[in-house]
C-alpha cells in the first residue's frame, strides 16, 4: 500500500536505538493502544523477550524519555508514548498486515450492496459508517459536490424572516438550507416562488437553472411581485455560485468516540474533537492534504493544527473516479490510541474498493 509518512522520524538518531530499547518502547506503545494506561518497569520486565531487571528497564526508559519518545503522566507512574513516540512507532516499528477475512467480507458485502441500490453519495455514506463501526472512531469522507438535475424545490416557512429551502434532485438526493427572507414577505410569496421555480427548473442542473432564471426574471419581473422575485433569486443562489464546486464532508459515527471513555479528561478531549468536526471547512482542508499526496496519510495529534487540542489522529486514503483521478478521501478520526496496525490496511482496502465501484481503471481492492 502507498503510505506517505508525515514526519520521517524513522531516520537519523531515533533509528539508532538498540533492540532492547525498541522492545521496551514497543511494549509501552502497544499497552497504551490497547488500554490507554501507562506501563511500569515491573510489568515490562515480565513481558519483554529478554532477561532484564525492573531497574535495568527503568534505565532504558529514562533514555527513551530523554529522546522524547515517552513521558510520565504523573509522579511514580508508568510511561506513555508521546506524539513523537507514536509517530516513530508508526513509521519504523509498526507491522501492517492485511485486512482480516471477517472485516474484508463485511466491507465488500455492504459497499457493493450500496453500489447496486443507491447513489455515489450513498456508497460514500455507507463506507464512512462502516469504517466508523469497525474502527470505533468517526468515519469521514470528502466528496466533490455534484450538480445533479433537479426534480423539485420547495420553500417552507419556519418563522418570521426565515424559511427552509428543500431541493430534490432526479437521482434522489435531498438538500435543505435555511434562507433569510426579505422583511414583510407574505407566506403567499413562498408558495408563488415554489410554483414558479418548479415550472421552470425540472430536468435542469443548478447552473442551467440559475442561468435561465436570470433571463426569465428580467423578462417577468413586472408580472412577479418584487419580493417573490428576490426569494427565487436567493433560493437558487444558496446552492449555486462558488459553493457548487466545494468539497462535501460526510461524517458518521461520532457516538463511537464516546464508548470507551476512561476519565474526565477523555470526555473533554472528545468534546473538543466534536467542536473540531463542526468546523467542516477546516476538516476538508486537512483531508485535502491526503488527496494532494495521492497516498494514505496518518496525522497524529498536533501534527495538524485542527486537532491539536483534542489530541486526535486521522487515517485517510484517497479514492479515484472512472478516469483514475483522485476525487476525494475517506478514513477515520479518533483518539491517538487508534489501532493503527488494523485500521491502516482497512482504510486502504475500503478506498480501493470504492475506487473500483466508481470504475477507476487498474484498481484492485484485494
Amino acid at each position: 500500500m502507498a503510505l506517505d509518512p508525515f514526519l520521517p522520524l524513522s531516520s537519523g538518531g531515533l533509528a539508532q536505538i538498540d533492540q532492547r530499547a525498541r522492545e521496551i518502547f514497543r511494549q509501552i506503545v502497544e499497552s497504551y493502544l490497547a488500554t490507554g494506561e501507562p506501563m511500569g518497569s515491573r510489568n515490562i520486565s515480565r513481558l519483554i523477550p529478554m532477561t532484564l531487571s525492573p531497574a535495568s528497564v527503568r534505565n532504558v526508559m529514562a533514555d527513551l524519555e530523554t529522546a522524547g519518545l515517552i513521558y510520565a503522566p504523573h509522579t511514580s507512574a508508568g510511561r506513555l508514548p508521546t506524539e513523537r513516540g507514536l509517530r516513530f512507532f508508526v513509521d519504523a516499528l509498526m507491522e501492517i498486515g492485511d485486512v482480516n477475512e471477517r472485516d474484508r467480507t463485511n466491507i465488500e458485502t455492504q459497499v457493493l450492496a450500496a453500489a447496486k441500490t443507491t447513489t455515489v453519495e450513498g456508497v460514500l455514506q455507507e463506507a464512512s459508517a462502516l469504517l466508523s463501526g469497525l474502527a470505533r472512531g468517526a468515519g469521514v469522507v470528502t466528496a466533490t459536490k455534484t450538480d445533479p438535475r433537479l426534480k423539485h424545490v420547495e420553500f417552507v416557512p419556519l418563522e418570521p424572516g426565515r424559511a427552509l429551502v428543500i431541493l430534490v434532485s432526479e437521482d434522489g438526493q435531498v438538500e435543505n438550507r435555511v434562507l433569510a427572507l426579505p422583511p414583510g414577505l407574505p407566506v403567499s410569496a413562498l408558495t408563488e416562488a415554489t410554483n414558479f421555480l418548479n415550472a421552470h427548473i425540472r430536468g435542469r442542473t443548478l447552473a442551467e437553472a440559475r442561468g435561465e432564471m436570470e433571463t426569465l426574471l428580467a423578462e417577468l419581473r413586472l408580472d412577479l411581485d418584487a419580493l417573490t422575485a428576490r426569494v427565487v433569486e436567493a433560493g437558487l443562489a444558496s446552492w449555486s455560485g462558488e459553493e457548487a464546486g466545494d468539497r462535501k464532508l460526510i461524517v458518521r459515527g461520532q457516538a463511537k468516540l464516546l464508548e470507551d471513555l476512561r476519565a474526565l479528561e477523555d470526555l473533554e478531549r472528545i468534546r473538543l474533537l466534536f467542536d473540531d468536526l463542526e468546523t467542516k471547512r477546516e476538516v476538508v482542508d486537512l483531508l485535502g492534504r491526503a488527496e494532494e499526496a495521492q497516498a494514505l496519510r496518518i496525522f497524529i495529534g498536533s501534527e495538524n493544527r485542527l486537532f491539536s487540542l483534542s489530541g486526535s489522529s486521522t487515517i485517510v486514503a484517497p479514492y479515484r473516479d472512472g478516469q483514475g483521478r483522485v476525487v476525494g478521501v475517506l478514513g477515520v478520526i479518533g483518539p491517538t490510541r487508534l489501532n493503527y496496525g488494523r485500521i491502516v490496511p482497512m482504510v486502504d482496502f475500503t478506498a480501493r474498493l470504492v475506487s473500483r465501484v466508481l470504475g477507476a481503471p487498474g484498481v484492485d481492492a484485494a
Side-chain angles (χ1 to χ4, degrees), residues 84-206:
R84 179 180 173 86
L86 285 174
R87 170 53 63 188
F88 176 57
F89 175 80
V90 166
D91 287 352
L93 302 180
M94 183 175 69
E95 296 177 0
I96 300 177
D98 294 326
V99 183
N100 68 50
E101 193 60 35
R102 184 176 64 179
D103 289 344
R104 178 187 294 267
T105 300
N106 194 1
I107 294 169
E108 281 188 329
T109 299
Q110 297 193 51
V111 170
L112 294 179
K116 293 177 181 178
T117 60
T118 187
T119 62
V120 170
E121 183 172 341
V123 171
L124 296 175
Q125 290 177 347
E126 182 66 29
S128 178
L130 268 170
L131 287 174
S132 169
L134 292 171
R136 306 185 73 81
V140 292
V141 176
T142 61
T144 303
K145 285 189 176 179
T146 57
D147 195 9
R149 298 202 172 273
L150 307 175
K151 181 179 181 180
H152 182 76
V153 66
E154 186 156 357
F155 296 89
V156 179
L158 294 176
E159 59 187 22
R162 296 204 310 163
L164 183 68
V165 193
I166 304 170
L167 188 74
V168 182
S169 62
E170 289 185 346
D171 64 3
Q173 294 184 51
V174 179
E175 288 194 47
N176 53 74
R177 298 187 185 176
V178 175
L179 180 70
L181 299 176
L185 184 80
V187 174
S188 60
L190 294 179
T191 303
E192 189 175 356
T194 296
N195 294 337
F196 178 79
L197 280 172
N198 285 321
H200 295 92
I201 68 169
R202 189 179 181 90
R204 292 172 171 78
T205 66
L206 277 169

Side-chain angles (χ1 to χ4, degrees), residues 248-267:
K248 177 184 296 183
L249 177 68
I250 301 169
V251 181
R252 292 290 181 271
Q254 292 102 314
K256 294 290 182 184
L257 299 168
L258 297 170
E259 292 179 354
D260 194 24
L261 300 181
R262 286 180 163 77
L264 186 61
E265 57 265 27
D266 282 344
L267 186 59

Side-chain angles (χ1 to χ4, degrees), residues 56-86:
S56 297
V57 171
R58 283 194 293 273
N59 289 335
V60 176
M61 290 168 69
D63 293 338
L64 291 171
E65 194 164 358
T66 300
L69 298 180
I70 62 175
Y71 74 102
H74 50 81
T75 306
S76 301
R79 298 296 185 269
L80 293 172
T82 61
E83 288 181 3
R84 179 180 173 86
L86 285 174

